[in-house]
Amino acid sequence: MRGDLEWRYLKGLYKLYTDKSVRNKLMNDAYIKNILYKRLKLIGFKNGNKDIIESKPRFNAFFEKEFLEKYLYYVDFFENAGLDNSGLKTYDKYDLETLMFIHKNKQELKESLTTVRSFSSLVFKQKDSKYLESKPGLLKDVLKLLQVERFPNEEKANQWKFTQDCEFPEAILLCENIDFIKAYWEFTTNNIELWYAGGNNTAKLKRVSKRNLALPLYYVCDWDYHGLKIYERIVEIFEAKGKNIHLITPKNIIFKPIDSGHHKSKWLQNDFSNLNRELYTKNQVEIIDKLISNNLWIEEQTISPIEAINELKK
């Protein structure tokens, strides 16, 4: 997909935009080869030389519409962050968004820095704990953004709390998954302020001032044993502040087997998995009962909180 182009290919398309030709490495990307070359015929090989790709007359207008703003946005980030924007970097959209998140929150991250694997597991959540170690170039840039030479050898308690403000907030969404806050613009466009407090480490929420709780408060999480137990602890924390928090109920549910991928949370084999039924609506109880009885779970990324919040605001 064009939105997921690696940086090196986006940079190559920009060179094609400015110079009208580029060495043939762009065709290694499926979107460029199948869409720009074969379907739209916006680029092609130089006559008699398949080592060179040239732009066609309609290419520049297409690039300006689909890619130029994004390219300049990334270039501005690299410059402000003091990172090299070499076309040799194989960063995809997820890597770039995560680097931007680290740059914006570097001081908070430094104050409670974990081991490289713990950091990778949390901040690069869609990947895994060994992701940074497998990409030395990316690890080097992360260390540069954090302004540290290396990650510590010992674990530290996760005391992070990140927020993404918006100009005219109408609601606050507390999310268990850090990836929502990286791609924040869709939420802020809908006047939703995002909070992320580090998953299982909920104690820091006790320090949230009541003056920050004037807006409706919502929570989105994995619907598994650990995710819902975290929700129940958060309910208690905000009840002590006289504040209700609403759990986002998934629609168009995508069920996953409890042992899928790296998922580790298991349901308990007793009544309602030791969850508190009183904290859930009738519909939510029915969903949880189905999850428990069929050994399933619902991943946070498959839930659409914006649609749910907009409906609840009506």
Side-chain angles (χ1 to χ4, degrees):
M1 298 294 292
R2 62 171 176 259
D4 295 326
L5 276 179
E6 287 185 6
W7 168 249
R8 56 178 170 168
Y9 294 119
L10 184 57
K11 192 174 177 73
L13 289 179
Y14 181 76
K15 183 173 177 60
L16 191 59
Y17 170 73
T18 56
D19 298 352
K20 310 302 180 187
S21 66
V22 68
R23 286 282 174 184
N24 178 20
K25 292 185 179 179
L26 293 179
M27 294 298 184
N28 292 331
D29 179 79
Y31 171 79
I32 293 174
K33 182 177 181 179
N34 295 325
I35 305 300
L36 301 189
Y37 172 55
K38 291 183 177 180
R39 183 186 300 178
L40 299 179
K41 303 186 187 306
L42 296 174
I43 62 176
F45 294 106
K46 183 177 181 180
N47 287 335
N49 188 349
K50 288 211 168 185
D51 290 331
I52 303 293
I53 295 174
E54 295 181 326
S55 61
K56 301 295 184 181
R58 295 182 296 114
F59 173 78
N60 276 22
F62 181 87
F63 183 86
E64 288 173 359
K65 179 182 177 183
E66 301 292 340
F67 294 109
L68 183 58
E69 183 178 3
K70 178 179 295 184
Y71 173 80
L72 295 176
Y73 179 65
Y74 288 149
V75 167
D76 184 63
F77 159 69
F78 280 121
E79 291 178 354
N80 289 334
L83 299 180
D84 172 37
N85 67 1
S86 168
L88 299 176
K89 293 184 173 180
T90 59
Y91 298 166
D92 59 15
K93 178 173 177 282
Y94 182 81
D95 291 336
L96 289 168
E97 287 180 350
T98 305
L99 288 172
M100 290 178 182
F101 169 81
I102 294 169
H103 179 55
K104 179 179 182 294
N105 298 281
K106 61 184 176 183
Q107 199 57 44
E108 181 80 22
L109 289 164
K110 281 176 65 176
E111 289 174 1
S112 189
L113 201 58
T114 61
T115 63
V116 62
R117 291 192 180 184
S118 180
F119 184 91
S120 180
S121 181
L122 173 72
V123 179
F124 291 86
K125 189 167 184 177
Q126 285 186 19
K127 310 297 182 176
D128 58 44
S129 63
K130 298 180 181 178
Y131 184 64
L132 274 177
E133 292 173 306
S134 71
K135 300 192 74 170
L138 181 61
L139 175 57
K140 181 180 178 181
D141 279 350
V142 168
L143 291 172
K144 187 170 184 178
L145 290 176
L146 293 172
Q147 298 175 331
V148 297
E149 293 185 4
R150 64 183 67 85
F151 282 89
N153 294 322
E154 301 295 331
E155 292 280 359
K156 294 183 179 181
N158 174 8
Q159 294 300 315
W160 297 325
K161 177 178 174 291
F162 304 113
T163 62
Q164 181 57 57
D165 301 327
C166 62
E167 190 173 3
F168 303 107
E170 296 176 359
I172 296 169
L173 176 66
L174 178 61
C175 50
E176 185 188 353
N177 191 324
I178 201 170
D179 291 329
F180 277 130
I181 209 166
K182 295 177 191 174
Y184 63 84
W185 43 87
E186 188 176 358
F187 292 92
T188 54
T189 299
N190 282 271
N191 299 322
I192 299 170
E193 182 174 301
L194 285 170
W195 290 4
Y196 171 79
N200 193 47
N201 296 278
T202 57
K204 66 184 72 64
L205 294 174
K206 296 177 181 178
R207 302 194 296 270
V208 173
S209 170
K210 289 186 178 180
R211 69 174 179 269
N212 293 324
L213 298 176
L215 297 173
L217 183 60
Y218 302 92
Y219 186 63
V220 61
C221 64
D222 291 335
W223 281 51
D224 57 17
Y225 174 70
H226 288 137
L228 295 175
K229 288 302 285 186
I230 292 170
Y231 162 68
E232 293 187 0
R233 292 204 301 274
I234 290 174
V235 168
E236 291 182 6
I237 289 170
F238 286 111
E239 277 185 346
K241 298 176 181 291
K243 181 68 178 179
N244 292 326
I245 184 167
H246 308 280
L247 178 65
I248 297 296
T249 305
K251 290 187 175 182
N252 304 315
I253 299 174
I254 300 174
F255 294 105
K256 293 191 172 185
I258 205 71
D259 57 355
S260 59
H262 298 288
H263 187 250
K264 297 179 181 178
S265 178
K266 310 293 183 183
W267 298 111
L268 303 184
Q269 300 303 309
N270 47 27
D271 182 49
F272 206 55
S273 194
N274 273 2
L275 298 174
N276 184 354
R277 289 178 182 269
E278 295 182 1
L279 298 183
Y280 305 93
T281 66
K282 180 180 178 181
N283 183 29
Q284 290 170 348
V285 168
E286 291 174 353
I287 294 172
I288 295 169
D289 275 331
K290 182 174 182 178
L291 294 173
I292 295 171
S293 61
N294 293 281
N295 243 359
L296 301 170
W297 70 296
I298 303 169
E299 190 173 14
E300 181 179 354
Q301 289 99 318
T302 68
I303 301 172
S304 301
I306 294 175
E307 178 184 355
I309 291 173
N310 285 339
E311 287 184 3
L312 289 169
K313 286 193 298 185
K314 293 178 181 177

